[in-house]
Amino acid sequence: MQIRDLPYPDPGVADARSGPRFLLWLGRNQLGGQFKALAWGLLHFCGVAGLPLGVGRAVQAVVDRSGSALALAGALIVLCGVAITFGDTMLHRAAVTNWITAAARVQQLLARKAAELGSALTRRVAAGEVVAVSTGDVEKIGWFVEAVSRFAAAAITVVLVCVGLVLYVPALGVVVAVGVPVLALAVLPLLPRATRRADIQREKAGRATELAADTVAGLRVLRGIGGEELFLGRYRQASQEVRRAAVRSARMWSLISAIQVLLPGLLLIAVVRYGAGLAQDGRIEVGELVTAFSAVTLLMYPLRHFEEIAMAYSFSRPSAKRAARVLSLRRSTEPSGVQYGRPSGDLYDPATGVLAPASRFTAVVCGDPDAAGLLAERLGGHPAADVAGAPSVLLGGVPLDDLALDEARAAVLVQDKDPVLLSGTLRELLDVPSSGNVSAEDALRAAQCGDVLDALAQASVDTDGDPMRTRITERGRSLSGGQRQRLALARSLVTDPEVLVLDEPTSAVDSHTEARIAEGIKRLRTGRTTVVFASSPLLLDRADRVVFVHDGKAAAVGVHRELLHTTAGYRAVVTRETEEEQLGGITVIGELDAAGRELEALEDIEESA
């Protein structure tokens, strides 16, 4: 896999049983890139290792006054220089490719998991942790994956140099062969402590990221209640904890680096001292001493990769653990594999008894807003949020749990009560997979977005007054709650799914706009199945069918005004009555009927005008 070929056609199924297993799985899926980096690394490091031999032979040629030997030594040095240059260039390219492709694979896996779980993901894993995994953790994981091949090349080179010295200068080669493994393994006792400190740092950094993400998401609310300073103080405290943990971790790694500088220096002193004595006694030649000295000096370069791989693993292991935790999440049920085609018909939930007839506008009233949100997700085929063992929702008699994910999402679309607007132009926002039967203009008109379009046109000076070209900031923060809600509704209407489930789509708009939105939805969705979770009389009065859910079961079914007269629980939820007011329920119903007739009269006047 090359960078230009990204993204992967299929990133595969990750082994998410643990962090190390996930890292091993990533490495196995990039064997081609790993072997390529290993080959270039061997060329580079062997060129580095060959320099001492060339230098030693050159010194010995000068001592022996041999011009031909000096020329051969010079040629060897030039050859090693070419190998070092070309090998290092290609090694860097292969290593960067391995890093980026590994990170891209992880990001694709995370994106696929997010699409699979939907809104259930952020209830099972904090949103800040998901952000941390898909940003900083991805880089750490990619670092380890690409460092493995360079470490392998360095380790092979060290072994070859030690063996070569033993064969070329046995007296000094044995000293180097014994000393180098000691250098490589000397820091092992410190690695567990360094790893623990790195884990603590990453954990605190993850919590700080979660706190920052949550604070930014709720900044408008915090400003409304004057809580900015409180949360800013909490973030300062969290960031200071991260700083202290990072300093403690850096101290340990600096100690490891110091040891890896000290011990090679001691080995070099020992080799020079012992070799000088051997040369003085005539047991080795000067060129051999220079070769051994140069080899030990240059071995410090590949030995640095032992420290790097230890550091990369220490930092990537907790990152891989968090990534594996997210990737190990599963839907409570898996598709059966039976090919049903695109289902259509009545939408029915056996667990609650809620039935939404095909091609009808059905409203659902729940006394508990949280229960309404969970039921809306159930109707959309999101079983990950369900209680284990709950039966699947049926669409035309076909269980949604048995459908493949893309088929289920295409059949039923759920817009939750807090929809997200992605950054980009309004045209890009409305450029979503759709049937093609509903234009963006019709959807915006039905969602009563006229004033939103005017505001967007005035907000931008470089779009010639075209609101469709105006950029919307991340999550639509520059818009009011009602404006964001209506744009999200327009986006859902453009998709024109077989079944559209809306959870409180008009909770942030005024009653006059709400009534017109209700009419727009009913008109635009004619011939399609629409389910709206609401408690507003203006919406409920326009529904073809109203289902009242109490204690997790469909307790009453009818039209709005009929249920007001016959069902006390429904009336209490819709009118928000106290117990005393319920005793005078008939009076309240009469007032609501009068208000409804008055509203209808006003709308008739508007239409005639």
Side-chain angles (χ1 to χ4, degrees):
M1 171 63 70
Q2 299 296 318
I3 296 176
R4 63 175 175 268
D5 299 325
L6 293 174
Y8 287 95
D10 180 12
V13 179
D15 185 350
R17 288 175 289 178
S18 66
R21 287 179 181 271
F22 180 57
L23 292 174
L24 179 62
W25 178 83
L26 282 176
R28 287 204 311 266
N29 279 270
Q30 292 189 204
L31 287 179
Q34 296 286 4
F35 282 123
K36 186 181 296 184
L38 176 62
W40 292 122
L42 286 174
L43 177 62
H44 170 65
F45 288 124
C46 287
V48 173
L51 284 177
L53 179 61
V55 172
R57 297 299 296 266
V59 171
Q60 190 61 43
V62 171
V63 172
D64 297 339
R65 298 181 180 275
S66 173
S68 59
L70 183 61
L72 288 175
L76 177 60
I77 292 175
V78 171
L79 182 62
C80 290
V82 172
I84 291 172
T85 303
F86 187 69
D88 189 32
T89 301
M90 299 307 295
L91 171 62
H92 180 72
R93 292 187 59 178
V96 170
T97 299
N98 287 338
W99 187 348
I100 293 178
T101 51
R105 186 188 296 273
V106 177
Q107 287 182 323
Q108 281 187 250
L109 290 170
L110 292 171
R112 186 170 67 177
K113 182 59 63 176
E116 175 186 342
L117 296 179
S119 60
L121 175 62
T122 52
R123 283 201 303 272
R124 300 171 68 176
V125 180
E129 183 173 349
V130 177
V131 173
V133 171
S134 59
T135 53
D137 286 340
V138 165
E139 294 183 4
K140 298 294 187 300
I141 293 170
W143 176 27
F144 175 76
V145 171
E146 68 88 11
V148 168
S149 54
R150 289 189 290 111
F151 164 73
I156 293 173
T157 302
V158 169
V159 172
L160 292 177
V161 169
C162 291
V163 172
L165 282 177
V166 170
L167 297 177
Y168 183 63
V169 193
L172 287 178
V174 173
V175 176
V176 176
V178 172
V180 167
V182 174
L183 297 183
L185 302 177
V187 297
L188 285 182
L190 298 177
L191 288 180
R193 181 176 297 181
T195 301
R196 286 196 299 270
R197 291 190 179 186
D199 290 350
I200 293 173
Q201 177 194 351
R202 296 299 301 166
E203 180 182 352
K204 291 183 179 296
R207 286 203 294 263
T209 302
E210 292 176 21
L211 179 60
D214 293 342
T215 302
V216 171
L219 189 58
R220 179 171 295 184
V221 177
L222 292 176
R223 285 177 175 171
I225 63 176
E228 310 102 299
E229 288 301 323
L230 174 62
F231 276 82
L232 182 59
R234 291 181 181 176
Y235 182 73
R236 285 197 188 102
Q237 181 181 355
S239 63
Q240 288 301 313
E241 291 179 0
V242 174
R243 180 189 63 80
R244 287 191 289 270
V247 169
R248 294 184 72 247
S249 178
R251 285 173 180 168
M252 184 57 63
W253 288 112
S254 64
L255 176 60
I256 291 175
S257 298
I259 292 175
Q260 290 206 327
V261 171
L262 174 64
L263 294 183
L266 295 177
L267 177 62
L268 190 61
I269 293 173
V271 169
V272 172
R273 176 69 182 85
Y274 182 58
L278 293 176
Q280 189 176 12
D281 295 339
R283 297 171 58 185
I284 63 173
E285 296 179 344
V286 175
E288 294 174 335
L289 174 60
V290 173
T291 299
F293 170 80
S294 302
V296 173
T297 302
L298 291 178
L299 272 179
M300 303 305 103
Y301 173 55
L303 281 175
R304 280 288 178 183
H305 289 76
F306 287 72
E307 176 189 355
E308 182 191 10
I309 195 65
M311 185 180 293
Y313 180 72
S314 297
F315 278 89
S316 66
R317 188 174 62 85
S319 297
K321 181 180 179 181
R322 279 190 291 271
R325 179 179 173 229
V326 175
L327 296 176
S328 64
L329 300 176
R330 294 287 184 269
R331 298 174 65 187
S332 59
T333 58
E334 296 296 333
S336 63
V338 179
Q339 298 297 323
Y340 291 101
R342 182 67 60 83
S344 62
D346 296 344
L347 184 68
Y348 176 64
D349 178 21
T352 60
V354 172
L355 173 65
S359 305
R360 303 285 296 278
F361 184 2
T362 302
V364 179
V365 177
C366 292
D368 183 0
D370 293 334
L374 292 175
L375 179 53
E377 291 183 359
R378 272 190 56 79
L379 294 179
H382 296 266
D386 290 347
V387 178
S392 172
V393 172
L394 306 177
L395 177 59
V398 177
L400 289 181
D401 290 354
D402 287 350
L403 295 178
L405 186 64
D406 54 349
E407 293 179 355
R409 295 292 182 270
V412 184
L413 173 67
V414 179
Q415 176 182 304
D416 61 23
K417 64 183 63 177
D418 187 23
V420 175
L421 302 182
L422 302 179
S423 59
T425 65
L426 180 56
R427 180 173 286 107
E428 292 170 342
L429 176 70
L430 299 178
D431 184 16
V432 293
S434 65
S435 65
N437 297 326
V438 178
S439 66
E441 291 75 14
D442 291 339
L444 291 168
R445 190 179 304 111
Q448 299 299 308
C449 294
D451 62 319
V452 184
L453 297 179
D454 294 338
L456 291 175
Q458 296 174 5
S460 181
V461 295
D462 57 352
T463 60
D464 298 327
D466 184 3
M468 300 299 291
R469 295 168 53 196
T470 303
R471 293 196 65 81
I472 298 174
T473 57
E474 181 186 1
R475 302 179 70 91
R477 300 189 193 282
S478 59
L479 304 173
S480 69
Q483 290 174 330
R484 288 197 301 270
Q485 198 172 57
R486 282 177 282 166
L487 287 180
L489 175 60
R491 179 179 59 188
S492 299
L493 293 174
V494 165
T495 61
D496 190 34
E498 180 70 25
V499 179
L500 177 61
V501 180
L502 304 171
D503 188 5
E504 295 288 353
T506 59
S507 60
V509 301
D510 60 83
S511 58
H512 189 65
T513 304
E514 184 179 35
R516 291 187 293 177
I517 289 175
E519 289 293 342
I521 294 174
K522 187 173 183 178
R523 181 178 62 257
L524 196 64
R525 293 287 299 170
T526 300
R528 295 288 198 180
T529 306
T530 306
V531 182
V532 177
F533 285 78
S535 59
S536 168
L538 296 174
L539 271 174
L540 299 174
D541 196 40
R542 283 158 177 77
D544 299 324
R545 192 169 185 268
V546 179
V547 181
F548 174 53
V549 177
H550 181 65
D551 289 337
K553 298 294 182 181
V557 179
V559 295
H560 169 60
R561 301 194 183 194
E562 174 188 340
L563 293 177
L564 280 177
H565 288 281
T566 59
T567 308
Y570 175 83
R571 182 169 64 248
V573 173
V574 173
T575 64
R576 296 170 176 81
E577 293 178 345
T578 63
E579 293 183 1
E580 292 80 5
E581 290 171 336
Q582 289 185 35
L583 298 177
I586 301 301
T587 303
V588 175
I589 295 170
E591 293 175 353
L592 288 173
D593 287 340
R597 289 191 296 272
E598 182 178 351
L599 180 60
E600 291 174 355
L602 288 174
E603 291 175 352
D604 292 339
I605 294 174
E606 285 183 359
E607 291 177 359
S608 62

